[in-house]
């Protein structure tokens, strides 16, 4: 069997993804190209393209590389604790790489690592905890969309810039027409970059969906049955 080329040995999927993420983090989304990436890896442009096919494939590779860091939750862990741990880690991974989020746009995150380390175990845990499959999917989608949206729309790596942009936009408003937005900058600006906005919303979603908080209550007797069981006053 012919030996794999040295360039393919050095351009493993993991190394390609890690190098691409570093490139985007350091130089911005516009810097990513097969040629620039190949130069950093020290391989031919065609070698990288052979691994990824196109830019979409490269971005999928990067996304799944991040998903490999999602936690392994021990069996039997409390549902709420396990759920919050998974989505907090996903959020931390995504906010660390805003350039990747910008490049992916609305593309779905469906790589094998994400499906195997987040989606499948989360749905399985939910069903095991007492949810129907439909309830499990809806709960997952709510938390997934909260996490992705919270990570996508703010660059938490540069909070001062995000706050400055918000301040500039609000300063241009007419205070008469927008009294709340212009009159409460001290409350608005911290919230723009506060991670607790996400963490608090996640906790609320987890509490609302937690099967342990929704155990079926015993049905109360109907009013007619209750009346029939009461002793008559003239008995």
């Amino acid at each position: 069997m012919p030996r794999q080329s040295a360039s393919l040995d050095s351009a493993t999927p993991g190394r390609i993804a890690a190098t691409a993420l570093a490139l985007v983090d350091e130089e911005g989304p516009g810097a990513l190209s097969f040629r620039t990436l190949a130069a950093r890896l020290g391989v031919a442009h065609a070698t990288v393209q052979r691994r990824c096919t196109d830019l979409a494939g490269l971005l999928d590779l990067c996304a799944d590389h991040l998903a490999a860091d999602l936690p392994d939750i021990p069996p039997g862990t409390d549902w709420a604790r396990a759920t919050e741990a998974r989505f907090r880690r996903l959020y931390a991974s995504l906010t660390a790489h805003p350039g990747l989020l910008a490049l992916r746009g609305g593309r779905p995150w469906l790589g094998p690592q994400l499906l195997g380390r987040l989606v499948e175990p989360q749905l399985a845990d939910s069903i095991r905890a007492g949810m129907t499959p439909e309830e499990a999917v809806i709960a997952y989608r709510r938390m997934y969309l909260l996490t992705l949206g919270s990570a996508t729309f703010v660059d938490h790596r540069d909070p001062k810039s995000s706050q400055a942009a918000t301040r500039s936009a609000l300063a241009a408003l007419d205070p008469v027409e927008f009294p709340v937005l212009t009159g409460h900058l001290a409350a608005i600006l911290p919230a723009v970059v506060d991670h607790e906005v996400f963490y608090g919303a996640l906790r609320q979603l987890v509490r609302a969906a937690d099967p342990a908080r929704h155990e079926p209550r015993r049905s109360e007797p109907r009013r007619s049955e209750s009346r029939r069981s009461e002793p008559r006053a003239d008995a």
Side-chain angles (χ1 to χ4, degrees):
M1 178 180 294
R3 185 183 180 280
Q4 190 178 32
S5 69
S7 60
L8 283 178
D9 285 341
S10 61
T12 61
R15 187 159 180 253
I16 289 174
T19 305
L21 287 169
L23 175 62
V24 172
D25 290 344
E26 294 166 12
E27 301 185 24
L32 183 63
S33 71
F34 279 154
R35 295 195 182 281
T36 306
L37 181 56
R40 281 207 173 195
L41 288 165
V43 299
H45 164 266
T47 299
V48 178
Q49 193 161 15
R50 192 182 311 173
R51 287 288 197 193
C52 308
T53 306
D54 55 18
L55 180 60
L58 174 59
L59 296 178
D60 287 343
L61 193 68
C62 291
D64 223 39
H65 181 74
L66 292 182
D69 287 334
L70 290 171
D72 285 320
I73 306 295
T77 301
D78 173 72
W79 181 88
R81 182 177 301 174
T83 299
E84 185 170 345
R86 288 190 182 106
F87 285 99
R88 284 177 71 101
R89 179 71 67 82
L90 178 62
Y91 175 78
S93 295
L94 296 179
T95 53
H97 303 283
L100 175 64
L101 294 176
L103 286 170
R104 286 188 62 86
R107 285 177 55 79
W109 296 66
L110 297 173
Q113 291 285 359
L114 187 75
L115 294 175
R117 299 179 70 86
L118 176 67
V119 186
E120 176 68 21
Q122 182 61 41
L123 294 180
D125 280 358
S126 296
I127 292 171
R128 195 159 39 242
M131 291 187 190
T132 66
E134 292 78 10
E135 290 170 339
V137 170
I138 289 172
Y140 169 80
R141 287 290 294 173
R142 286 171 176 165
M143 295 173 205
Y144 167 77
L145 292 175
L146 169 70
T147 306
L148 195 59
S150 298
T152 298
F153 292 105
V154 179
D155 184 352
H156 290 285
R157 297 180 61 194
D158 189 3
K160 289 184 178 180
S161 178
S162 296
Q163 287 182 318
T166 301
R167 182 190 295 276
S168 177
L170 297 184
L173 298 176
D174 182 351
V176 175
E177 189 175 358
F178 299 94
V180 176
L181 288 173
T182 58
H184 296 281
L185 282 177
I188 293 171
L189 292 179
V192 168
V193 295
D194 187 1
H195 290 289
E196 184 55 35
V197 172
F198 165 74
Y199 294 133
L202 177 62
R203 287 193 295 270
Q204 289 179 335
L205 282 180
V206 170
R207 282 198 300 269
D210 189 353
R213 297 172 61 90
H214 301 282
E215 295 179 356
R217 293 177 296 179
R218 290 187 306 168
S219 58
E220 297 179 358
R222 289 179 299 177
R223 182 180 296 272
S224 59
E225 294 174 345
S226 178
R227 284 179 175 174
R228 282 199 300 269
S229 66
E230 294 176 358
R232 291 173 52 188
D234 58 351

